[in-house]
Amino acid sequence: MTPIARKRLRKAALNTAGVLVFVFAVFPVYWMVSTAFKSNDQIFTTDFIPFPTHFTFEHLDRVLSEGVAGNSIWLYMRNSAIVALGTVLIGAVFALLAATAIARFTFKGRNSFLVLLLIVQMIPSEALLIPLFLNVKRLGLYDQLLGLIVINVGLTLPFGIWMLRTFVAAVPKSLEEAAWIDGASRFVTFWKVLFPLVAPGLVATSIFSFITAWNELIFALILMSDSSGYTMPVAMQFFFGQRGTDWGAIMACSTMMTIPVVIFFLLVQRRMVTGLVAGAVKG
Amino acid sequence: MTNTSTIARGGGNPSAPGRRRHSQQRPAKASGLPPKAIPYVLLVPGLLVIAGLLLYPLFQMIVISFQKVGIPQINGKKPATWVGWDNYTKILDNEVFWSSLRNTVVFAVITVTLTLVLGTAVGTLLNKLGKKMSTFVVIGIMSAWAVPPVAQGVIWRWLFDADAGMINWVLNLLPDWLSNLLFGRADWTGEPWLNDAITIYLVLIICVVWASFPFIAVSVLAGLKGIPTELYEAARVDGATPWRIFRKITFPLLKPVFSVLTILSIIWNFKVFSQLYVLMNGPTNREAFNLSMFSFAEAFRSPPKMGTGAAIAVILTLLLLVVTAFYVRQIVKTEEIR
């Protein structure tokens, strides 16, 4: 074989492998979306129907009009959004403050704090389930979205700080020093110089927290007894009925729940990986 | 191991003494705070959250694991009674605990390994692909990574559905002799994958590997992009095999990335909950429990036994700490966190 032919063959093999990986990753997602738009005849068959030939909105319609467990699906979407956004707003402020402290100051106890951050990330949140449940009950936050928000802030903050500190550290210190020399106060320097430069990192970190809170199942499961407080992951469980599963409806619902996350992921994909890995490695 | 290199230039007092506003370094005018106090003030909210929502509950969990906490105690009608090691001995006598422990560990080992191997392979592949193709594949795998865990469970439950699932259809497509040779059977119609602990975990492994290899792949790709190409050229000139290049160049240079990815995978896979919850439809099949599900079931299924639930959670946490402590030490040692 000539070297050129060998090169072409190699390229073809690599591309084939790439396509296979793509199919493996995407097919299940495609299967979810396509099931949502198939008629029941096409869903409950032992044949393989690669795409919905009778494209239908009946499942989406049913989910939107009938809802689940006695409530509109929009209520659950709204609850999920409130919990996720609340987590992000509170978490972002706290994370930014702490990340600035770590990345911009040298102080006694700094390394201990970093090690603390590493260690608390290792506590499985499932292990905190029981005490947090009891505390939330005692504080009267049971069945309230605020209780979930508070807990999600706790679960996402250590990682948020860990991730954000890289972004803060990446802003050249000289910029701030220049502002100080020009007579700007610390706060003005922070607000006018550091904040705009860190904003993209803050967005990436916030989206990470948003997704974590949006996806959270176990705490929402035990802290919400009233169905009007369910978040999407909890509400989804009600499609698996005693008399069989309404697969069309549950796929429509899963798709609705997945769309915001996919959009966010695609928006900040690169920054998130930088934050996750470089943040943990290069520090 | 903590108070090493990068501690305060001025050294000394942690409680930020005096008002030395006019230190030449920081003309902190309007803040009104002594400069040394600033980082501590910034840390307070974060520390309060960590202490109140993670550390204190961790302590409470340990306390509860030595107590009897049922409905009267949950409602505050009765104080919790101290039962010593009772919860632990009860659990250790329970066969469900041992099967949960086995499920947890075996699942984690298999899944972490598969995720890392597949992720690294795909990351290396992405690095070799052309720009367009690589972007195309990255977007594809990103969509798998983005699917919420509950939806992941739903998707794979559907794919493995006994009657209308795609997997049974594909297995039926195999020529009978091949299917017989591989699995000892030809007909897969109505095969109920999610009735049995072993096959539930088979589905769970596929589901979790599918959803988590993209992160590894993209991270490895990011790491690979940082390695100067001259190194590879030199190695190729010297006639090194691809495997040798990986072992001698790629792996050592990406070691920090790999250790972080390993820790994260271990942490994520030791306590997988949502996907398992969906696949087996809640805490129904005791044989298929892992430790998180067992703890959850003890504590929140009636009658609630929070004490034993907490004891299981303590064991899970200890296990996780022991496994990851080694890696954390390495990060702290070799990376010298800044």
Side-chain angles (χ1 to χ4, degrees):
Chain A
M1 221 180 338
T2 63
I4 295 173
R6 195 181 300 160
K7 217 174 174 183
R8 270 203 197 130
L9 194 70
R10 190 171 164 264
K11 208 179 163 198
L14 285 176
N15 282 337
T16 313
V19 170
L20 286 178
V21 170
F22 180 88
V23 170
F24 171 64
V26 170
F27 181 79
V29 182
Y30 166 74
W31 205 234
M32 165 177 81
V33 180
S34 71
T35 305
F37 295 108
K38 281 178 188 168
S39 67
N40 270 335
D41 288 350
Q42 294 192 320
I43 293 176
F44 298 102
T45 169
T46 43
D47 287 337
F48 177 72
I49 293 165
F51 43 82
T53 40
H54 296 287
F55 192 88
T56 172
F57 284 103
E58 60 173 306
H59 307 295
L60 197 62
D61 250 8
R62 191 165 64 252
V63 165
L64 292 180
S65 60
E66 288 174 25
V68 200
N71 290 300
S72 151
I73 206 78
W74 293 115
L75 180 72
Y76 304 129
M77 286 289 267
R78 205 198 63 171
N79 288 342
S80 279
I82 291 174
V83 171
L85 288 175
T87 305
V88 165
L89 289 180
I90 303 175
V93 176
F94 288 12
L96 184 59
L97 294 177
T100 311
I102 297 173
R104 276 294 181 263
F105 296 89
T106 44
F107 55 93
K108 198 168 180 142
R110 184 178 169 283
N111 278 6
S112 316
F113 182 72
L114 282 173
V115 174
L116 176 75
L117 278 185
L118 269 179
I119 292 173
V120 291
Q121 278 168 55
M122 244 150 283
I123 305 172
S125 57
E126 284 77 359
L128 304 174
L129 202 57
I130 294 166
L132 286 176
F133 167 79
L134 294 172
N135 295 346
V136 162
K137 253 194 135 163
R138 261 176 233 141
L139 293 171
L141 291 174
Y142 186 69
D143 254 339
Q144 288 188 29
L145 294 177
L146 181 62
L148 269 186
I149 292 176
V150 170
I151 284 177
N152 277 307
V153 168
L155 298 181
T156 52
L157 190 64
F159 209 85
I161 299 173
W162 190 255
M163 205 168 146
L164 195 56
R165 80 200 165 100
T166 357
F167 292 104
V168 179
V171 176
K173 218 171 173 174
S174 53
L175 287 175
E176 283 164 276
E177 277 160 1
W180 290 339
I181 288 166
D182 290 347
S185 72
R186 219 167 245 287
F187 181 74
V188 171
T189 312
F190 175 81
W191 191 244
K192 291 261 165 83
V193 180
L194 185 64
F195 186 75
L197 290 169
V198 176
L202 199 59
V203 171
T205 312
S206 297
I207 287 180
F208 176 79
S209 319
F210 181 94
I211 292 172
T212 311
W214 179 266
N215 290 349
E216 204 283 320
L217 168 69
I218 187 167
F219 280 98
L221 206 57
I222 58 158
L223 290 179
M224 296 290 156
S225 64
D226 193 297
S227 64
S228 65
Y230 287 165
T231 54
M232 282 297 277
V234 181
M236 298 265 287
Q237 309 306 320
F238 285 82
F239 286 107
F240 296 106
Q242 301 277 319
R243 291 168 286 117
T245 303
D246 185 349
W247 284 108
I250 196 174
M251 289 304 169
C253 219
S254 302
T255 308
M256 282 178 73
M257 184 189 171
T258 305
I259 287 171
V261 186
V262 171
I263 293 172
F264 278 152
F265 254 82
L266 293 177
L267 281 179
V268 296
Q269 173 254 111
R270 227 167 257 154
R271 287 219 175 78
M272 222 154 92
V273 173
T274 319
L276 283 162
V277 179
V281 181
K282 290 180 204 143
Chain B
M1 105 184 160
T2 52
N3 289 335
T4 47
S5 54
T6 45
I7 303 170
R9 272 170 273 183
N13 230 322
S15 53
R19 329 190 117 230
R20 290 207 276 127
R21 286 240 200 119
H22 301 293
S23 69
Q24 342 83 316
Q25 241 175 349
R26 294 181 182 133
K29 281 180 206 159
S31 75
L33 277 167
K36 270 197 172 174
I38 293 173
Y40 296 105
V41 173
L42 296 176
L43 278 185
V44 164
L47 271 175
L48 282 180
V49 169
I50 290 172
L53 288 163
L54 299 168
L55 295 178
Y56 180 59
L58 189 67
F59 165 76
Q60 286 178 301
M61 172 185 74
I62 297 169
V63 171
I64 295 170
S65 75
F66 292 105
Q67 291 176 331
K68 181 181 158 70
V69 182
I71 291 175
Q73 287 83 12
I74 295 171
N75 294 330
K77 298 235 167 68
K78 262 191 204 168
T81 43
W82 198 260
V83 295
W85 292 95
D86 269 17
N87 293 326
Y88 288 94
T89 48
K90 252 186 229 161
I91 287 166
L92 297 181
D93 280 341
N94 190 340
E95 60 191 51
V96 179
F97 170 76
W98 295 104
S99 62
S100 306
L101 179 65
R102 188 198 58 212
N103 291 344
T104 305
V105 173
V106 173
F107 169 79
V109 169
I110 296 179
T111 312
V112 170
T113 314
L114 284 180
T115 319
L116 285 171
V117 171
L118 184 63
T120 308
V122 172
T124 321
L125 173 70
L126 288 171
N127 196 37
K128 292 201 169 127
L129 289 175
K131 199 164 184 252
K132 271 186 201 153
M133 191 65 188
S134 157
T135 313
F136 171 73
V137 179
V138 165
I139 289 176
I141 62 177
M142 208 53 70
S143 67
W145 182 25
V147 174
V150 166
Q152 292 164 19
V154 167
I155 292 175
W156 287 94
R157 195 170 154 181
W158 174 226
L159 285 166
F160 277 91
D161 187 71
D163 301 315
M166 236 271 308
I167 303 294
N168 282 346
W169 178 84
V170 168
L171 288 170
N172 269 337
L173 270 195
L174 292 177
D176 285 359
W177 63 266
L178 185 63
S179 184
N180 271 322
L181 186 75
L182 290 174
F183 311 105
R185 58 189 295 179
D187 183 27
W188 293 88
T189 315
E191 170 69 16
W193 294 92
L194 300 170
N195 282 1
D196 190 55
I198 291 183
T199 43
I200 287 178
Y201 273 92
L202 184 76
V203 179
L204 187 66
I205 288 169
I206 297 174
C207 169
V208 172
V209 170
W210 166 76
S212 45
F213 86 88
F215 169 63
I216 312 283
V218 178
S219 307
V220 169
L221 175 66
L224 287 172
K225 289 221 166 118
I227 298 178
T229 45
E230 295 87 50
L231 281 177
Y232 288 111
E233 277 156 23
R236 237 171 268 132
V237 170
D238 290 347
T241 61
W243 175 237
R244 205 177 148 74
I245 291 178
F246 180 81
R247 258 188 32 230
K248 295 286 174 185
I249 301 177
T250 313
F251 187 74
L253 285 172
L254 290 192
K255 217 174 154 199
V257 177
F258 281 121
S259 38
V260 172
L261 293 177
T262 312
I263 303 177
L264 289 175
S265 306
I266 294 175
I267 295 177
W268 289 334
N269 290 329
F270 244 82
K271 50 176 192 127
V272 56
F273 183 86
S274 303
Q275 296 94 326
L276 182 62
Y277 191 91
V278 175
L279 284 180
M280 63 181 202
N281 210 4
T284 49
N285 185 345
R286 290 154 58 94
E287 278 164 29
F289 281 4
N290 62 5
L291 288 177
S292 350
M293 188 65 72
F294 186 32
S295 166
F296 172 84
E298 282 287 305
F300 295 100
R301 254 190 340 186
S302 62
K305 286 171 280 187
M306 300 259 161
T308 44
I312 302 163
V314 169
I315 295 174
L316 173 65
T317 310
L318 283 178
L319 209 62
L320 208 51
L321 283 177
V322 169
V323 177
T324 47
F326 168 75
Y327 284 103
V328 175
R329 246 186 54 156
Q330 263 202 329
I331 291 193
V332 173
K333 251 191 194 162
T334 58
E335 301 309 324
E336 191 187 331
I337 33 184
R338 255 188 339 170

